[in-house]
């Protein structure tokens, strides 16, 4: 038996995210001198039940400083983890959870705990001299994910120019990840050309998707179909559509307000409205069709559409194993979005995946709208065999770093086989 490699110390440092805001990087230094590091992402349309992203408040950086989260890493967390075995991720995460002592990482900060938790994975894989995806697979078969790629950004990511937050494509006809990327590139480029031709090109939204200069949500869906055709691909056969309604953002009291449609809808009306789109367009996946507190709406939508399309809970489930189990019991959703920073540790993220699998659901590993060069989530998707990956659009290096990492893993797997 090799000597147990132990944690020597943990260092927190301030780095900057894709929106130019401060964020937390954690670096774990092992007794043998090896290291692992990871950067916390952050959301813009966050769910109420997410782990707390600890910010300093006050004037600097509009209150978004992370000095308190960094101090927690450099003192308390570093002291608590010193001497622990680096390959015992469940114990490392349990230590973080107990040290925090709150139900939602409010004391240490979910940004501090998730960065440390993910850094531990990198250090463990380094000490085993394995790529992270292989370390995570632990002998099981790694699975390359099917990408879900944003073409237009909307909602909170684009000044609420249109109501729906994400208009995405899934290259269902691709037989390799490399082919999926080249199909996506053609559709993304064609969508940009169409907007340019019509004088509608205004740059990109927070996740790299084209800024939506549209007068309605349906116009975005129509333009997606046009872009797929202009790329010489067949909608519904080569490339299907997906949307993230992020409906919590549309909630006004008991109603839903869709300014781009000029309409206020009851929950039942929003369900019918979305079903109408599913009839007209080759939509195979809808995320957060109703708001995080609308159990009845989620159940109604899932009852009607759950046998035909993927219904993902993001704000609704916040990567919580308990919420996944409760939703499965209720009959709401049939898929979970996995965002490690929504829950604050890798082990709790894995628990949400396990709960989803127990319910017969699918799962999608996802980035946040505020991201960095960190590619940890790519390795989680492949190593855990999750099957799907959503990291935003097909522009900006915080997004491309992740797609490109999958391409490298695909090549490594091909060379092994
Ligand atoms: P967020 O959005 O990272 O701003 O929360 C991403 C999503 O809703 O999927
Ligand atoms: Zn979402």
């Amino acid at each position: 038996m090799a000597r147990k490699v132990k944690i020597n110390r943990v260092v927190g440092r301030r780095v900057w995210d894709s929106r130019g805001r401060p964020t937390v990087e954690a670096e774990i230094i092992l007794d043998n001198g090896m290291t692992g590091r990871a950067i916390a992402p952050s959301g813009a349309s966050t769910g109420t039940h997410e782990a707390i992203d600890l910010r300093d408040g006050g004037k600097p950086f509009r209150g978004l400083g992370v000095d308190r989260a960094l101090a927690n890493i450099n003192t308390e967390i570093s002291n608590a983890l010193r001497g622990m075995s680096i390959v015992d991720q469940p114990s490392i995460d349990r230590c973080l959870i107990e040290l925090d002592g709150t139900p939602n990482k409010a004391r240490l900060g979910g940004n501090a705990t998730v960065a440390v938790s993910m850094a531990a994975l990198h250090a463990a894989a380094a000490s085993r001299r394995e790529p992270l995806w292989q370390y995570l697979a632990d002998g099981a078969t790694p699975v390359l994910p099917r990408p879900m790629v944003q073409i237009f950004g909307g909602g909170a990511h684009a000044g609420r120019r249109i109501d729906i937050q994400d208009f995405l494509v899934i290259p269902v006809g691709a037989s390799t990840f490399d082919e999926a990327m080249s199909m996506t590139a053609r559709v993304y480029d064609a969508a940009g050309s169409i907007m340019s031709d019509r004088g509608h090109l205004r740059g990109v939204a927070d996740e790299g998707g084209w800024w939506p200069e549209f007068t309605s949500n349906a116009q975005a869906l129509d333009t997606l179909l046009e872009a797929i055709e202009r790329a010489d691909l067949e909608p519904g056969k080569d490339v299907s559509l997906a949307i993230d309604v992020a409906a919590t953002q549309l909630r006004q009291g008991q109603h839903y307000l869709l300014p781009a449609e000029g309409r206020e809808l009851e929950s039942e009306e929003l369900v019918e409205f979305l079903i109408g789109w599913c009839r007209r367009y080759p939509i195979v996946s809808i995320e957060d069709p109703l708001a995080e507190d609308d159990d009845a709406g989620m159940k109604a939508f899932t009852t009607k559409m759950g046998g035909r399309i993927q219904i993902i809970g993001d704000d609704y489930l916040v990567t919580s194993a308990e919420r996944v189990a409760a939703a499965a019991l209720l009959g709401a959703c049939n898929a979970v979005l996995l965002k490690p920073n929504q829950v604050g540790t890798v082990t709790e993220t894995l628990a949400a995946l396990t709960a989803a699998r127990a319910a017969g659901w699918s799962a999608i590993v996802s980035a946040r709208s505020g991201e960095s060069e960190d590619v940890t989530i790519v390795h989680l998707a492949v190593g855990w065999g999750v099957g799907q990956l959503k990291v935003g659009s097909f522009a900006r290096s915080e997004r491309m770093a992740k797609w490109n990492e999958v391409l490298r893993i695909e090549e490594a797997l091909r060379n092994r086989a």
Side-chain angles (χ1 to χ4, degrees):
M1 269 287 275
R3 193 181 62 87
K4 261 196 188 154
V5 182
K6 291 181 180 155
I7 295 175
N8 178 277
R9 63 187 189 280
V10 190
V11 175
R13 75 172 61 87
R14 184 178 69 188
V15 294
W16 303 89
D17 76 10
S18 56
R19 287 191 271 246
R21 295 173 182 169
T23 191
V24 172
E25 176 167 274
E27 182 153 355
I28 293 191
I29 296 106
L30 302 177
D31 272 347
N32 65 8
M34 288 180 141
T35 64
R37 61 165 200 257
I39 302 176
S42 83
S45 65
T46 51
T48 312
H49 306 284
E50 291 193 20
I52 297 297
D53 190 3
L54 187 66
R55 302 287 175 165
D56 297 336
K59 263 186 101 173
F61 313 120
R62 290 199 285 123
L64 296 172
V66 291
D67 289 355
R68 288 195 294 156
L70 295 175
N72 290 340
I73 293 176
N74 289 321
T75 56
E76 273 191 68
I77 292 177
S78 185
N79 289 336
L81 296 188
R82 180 168 301 124
M84 291 188 79
S85 163
I86 190 59
V87 292
D88 189 355
Q89 188 76 32
S91 293
I92 291 169
D93 288 338
R94 196 175 327 115
C95 179
L96 291 170
I97 292 163
E98 284 170 8
L99 187 66
D100 173 74
T102 72
N104 59 354
K105 315 289 186 301
R107 201 178 72 79
L108 295 174
N111 43 353
T113 61
V114 80
V116 172
S117 182
M118 296 193 307
L121 286 182
H122 286 281
S127 75
R128 288 267 176 90
R129 294 183 166 75
E130 280 185 291
L132 181 50
W133 58 266
Q134 188 178 315
Y135 171 74
L136 286 161
D138 196 23
T141 311
V143 179
L144 291 167
R146 194 174 281 295
M148 192 183 276
V149 192
Q150 187 198 66
I151 303 298
F152 305 119
H157 299 164
R160 302 188 189 281
R161 186 67 182 75
I162 44 176
D163 309 315
I164 303 302
Q165 182 180 282
D166 287 17
F167 293 87
L168 309 114
V169 294
I170 305 177
V172 289
S175 50
T176 64
F177 193 83
D178 182 54
E179 189 185 3
M181 290 291 97
S182 74
M183 283 183 175
T184 302
R186 285 153 60 193
V187 174
Y188 183 75
D189 182 67
S193 301
I194 291 168
M195 292 170 92
S196 168
D197 292 351
R198 294 176 190 163
H200 288 166
L201 200 57
R202 295 281 183 281
V204 298
D206 279 16
E207 296 191 10
W210 301 115
W211 189 276
E213 283 295 321
F214 298 121
T215 52
S216 72
N217 296 290
Q219 199 182 13
L221 291 166
D222 290 330
T223 309
L224 268 188
L225 293 186
E226 245 185 292
I228 294 166
E229 281 161 1
R230 194 185 279 206
D232 290 324
L233 295 164
E234 193 178 323
K237 182 161 168 281
D238 300 315
V239 180
S240 291
L241 308 188
I243 55 174
D244 179 2
V245 181
T248 304
Q249 300 285 318
L250 307 174
R251 196 76 154 151
Q252 287 286 325
Q254 288 304 103
H255 308 274
Y256 291 90
L257 193 63
L258 282 72
E261 304 289 329
R263 295 180 68 177
E264 193 175 281
L265 302 174
E266 303 288 334
S267 179
E268 304 78 39
E269 292 173 315
L270 179 56
V271 166
E272 291 309 319
F273 183 74
L274 294 173
I275 290 174
W277 279 352
C278 292
R279 290 207 187 93
R280 294 220 313 274
Y281 301 99
I283 294 174
V284 295
S285 179
I286 299 191
E287 181 174 328
D288 282 343
L290 288 302
E292 62 185 3
D293 59 351
D294 191 352
D295 290 322
M298 276 291 190
K299 184 180 173 175
F301 189 71
T302 306
T303 303
K304 291 188 168 158
M305 296 303 289
R308 295 178 43 198
I309 64 167
Q310 175 169 269
I311 301 168
I312 309 169
D314 170 15
D315 293 348
Y316 185 66
L317 298 171
V318 292
T319 315
S320 151
E322 292 76 36
R323 291 181 75 89
V324 169
L329 208 60
L330 179 70
C333 302
N334 59 23
V336 62
L337 202 71
L338 300 171
K339 292 170 164 173
N341 86 320
Q342 277 183 328
V343 67
T345 65
V346 169
T347 301
E348 289 164 285
T349 307
L350 181 58
L353 172 63
T354 305
R357 284 178 170 159
W361 287 13
S362 52
I364 305 92
V365 170
S366 171
R368 302 306 305 247
S369 50
E371 269 293 337
S372 71
E373 68 274 27
D374 189 283
V375 295
T376 312
I377 56 167
V378 169
H379 291 264
L380 298 181
V382 175
W384 289 346
V386 175
Q388 297 178 72
L389 181 64
K390 178 189 181 209
V391 306
S393 193
F394 210 68
R396 303 175 43 142
S397 285
E398 79 278 8
R399 313 291 152 185
M400 305 320 286
K402 294 169 182 62
W403 300 133
N404 291 341
E405 186 76 351
V406 185
L407 289 169
R408 292 182 198 102
I409 298 172
E410 179 169 61
E411 186 182 292
L413 285 171
R414 203 183 310 123
N415 290 342
R416 258 192 355 172

